[in-house]
Amino acid sequence: MTFETLVAPASVADLTQAVLRGDYGPDPAGLHAVGAFWVRQSTQFPGTDTKYRNHYLVLRVESAFGGCCVERDQLDPSAAEELSGRALAELLRDPRTPVRIAALDAYLALVRPHREQAGAEPRLLPHGTPLQRAQARDAAIASLLRIAPGMRVGLIGVVNPLVEAIRSHGGVCLPCDFNLEFTADGTEVARDMRPVLAAADLVIATGMTLSNGSFDEILATLRARGVPLVVYAQTGSAIVPRFLGHGVAAVSAEPFPFSQFSADPTPIHLYRAAGIGRGDARAA
């Protein structure tokens, strides 16, 4: 099997098994997590009451990093202390979902770096404040597919600048998040994603759906409905592009180190499935 004839994965588990078979390149048994990091970070923009609390597991494999944002208490921080030195093949079989996702992301970031992907459009987020950089990032995400006035846009994983970006295009935002009750403008946030997936004309989801295990369900539901899915991925930035054209219509991929850790220009990589342009909102 050549890399050009790879069968599109139906799920994250399918992709993981393909990597373990060596379908994507070097045997992960011969690659090791040289570094493992645990990052705990919070953000609260001036004039708002919303505090975002993020926890990340990051693995370093040769010249690549793999990142996974996790829910509070989903993974013990001490995990980072025992993961370094272990073979990627072992980590890809780990019973803990965040460990598997970080390992898969690191492997694919190594063998499929964004800078070498013909379909990736690099874009630099500008030097600026956290809010300015978040607004630039979220405007890029919202522009990946055309949001027509009145279009119902499901947002799985709420970031308030992205809510604003959706509304600036005339979209009706249907927010869903485990950790927020209301958006900054007072819109109630759903906890159950299923009604959102059933009602939306377009869905934008965070890569954190990989770490909480909901990505496969979102993918299957929207495939069945013929509704396009856009993913903004810090978690799994190298994973999600493997689903382009097979459930995912577009991706904003942001590899580690993430934009919130710097004020200097940092890259994101914008992908669209083949045949989908900026003005399209067709399902992949």
Side-chain angles (χ1 to χ4, degrees), residues 36-79:
F37 312 85
W38 179 261
V39 182
R40 184 174 182 175
Q41 173 250 348
S42 69
T43 298
Q44 183 170 345
F45 295 124
T48 71
D49 296 325
T50 302
K51 186 182 293 291
Y52 302 98
R53 295 178 174 86
N54 296 317
H55 306 80
Y56 301 91
L57 173 67
V58 180
L59 300 179
R60 175 77 183 266
V61 178
E62 295 190 356
S63 60
F65 291 87
C68 184
C69 185
V70 302
E71 298 285 356
R72 181 185 297 183
D73 301 327
Q74 186 181 3
L75 186 69
D76 193 302
S78 64

Side-chain angles (χ1 to χ4, degrees), residues 123-127 133-134 136-138 140 254 259 264-268:
R123 185 174 298 185
L124 283 178
L125 299 179
H127 174 274
R133 286 167 57 77
R137 178 199 64 200
D138 294 342
E254 185 180 333
S259 59
D264 292 326
T266 54
I268 59 175

Side-chain angles (χ1 to χ4, degrees), residues 85-111:
R86 292 169 60 181
L88 270 192
E90 180 185 357
L91 299 182
L92 288 168
R93 296 185 175 99
D94 194 280
R96 296 164 292 186
T97 298
V99 174
R100 297 195 304 274
I101 294 299
L104 183 61
D105 192 41
Y107 178 91
L108 291 169
L110 180 65
V111 302

Side-chain angles (χ1 to χ4, degrees), residues 84-202:
S84 60
R86 292 169 60 181
L88 270 192
E90 180 185 357
L91 299 182
L92 288 168
R93 296 185 175 99
D94 194 280
R96 296 164 292 186
T97 298
V99 174
R100 297 195 304 274
I101 294 299
L104 183 61
D105 192 41
Y107 178 91
L108 291 169
L110 180 65
V111 302
R112 295 289 191 279
H114 298 297
R115 65 184 175 276
E116 296 179 5
Q117 304 308 298
E121 175 194 336
R123 185 174 298 185
L124 283 178
L125 299 179
H127 174 274
T129 68
L131 182 57
Q132 288 168 335
R133 286 167 57 77
Q135 288 172 332
R137 178 199 64 200
D138 294 342
I141 294 166
S143 71
L144 277 166
L145 297 182
R146 185 177 66 88
I147 298 175
M151 180 179 284
R152 294 165 297 179
V153 181
L155 181 59
I156 312 298
V158 173
V159 180
N160 281 306
L162 186 49
V163 175
E164 296 169 8
I166 291 168
R167 289 184 175 148
S168 73
H169 286 266
V172 177
C173 186
L174 308 178
C176 178
D177 197 292
F178 287 139
N179 300 310
L180 295 176
E181 295 182 0
F182 298 94
T183 64
D185 67 359
T187 302
E188 186 173 359
V189 176
R191 289 185 61 83
D192 184 352
M193 71 178 182
R194 292 176 179 87
V196 173
L197 297 179
D201 304 308
L202 165 68

Side-chain angles (χ1 to χ4, degrees), residues 230-246:
V230 176
V231 182
Y232 63 108
Q234 291 184 335
T235 294
S237 72
I239 296 173
V240 182
R242 310 284 73 81
F243 294 89
L244 272 171
H246 302 280

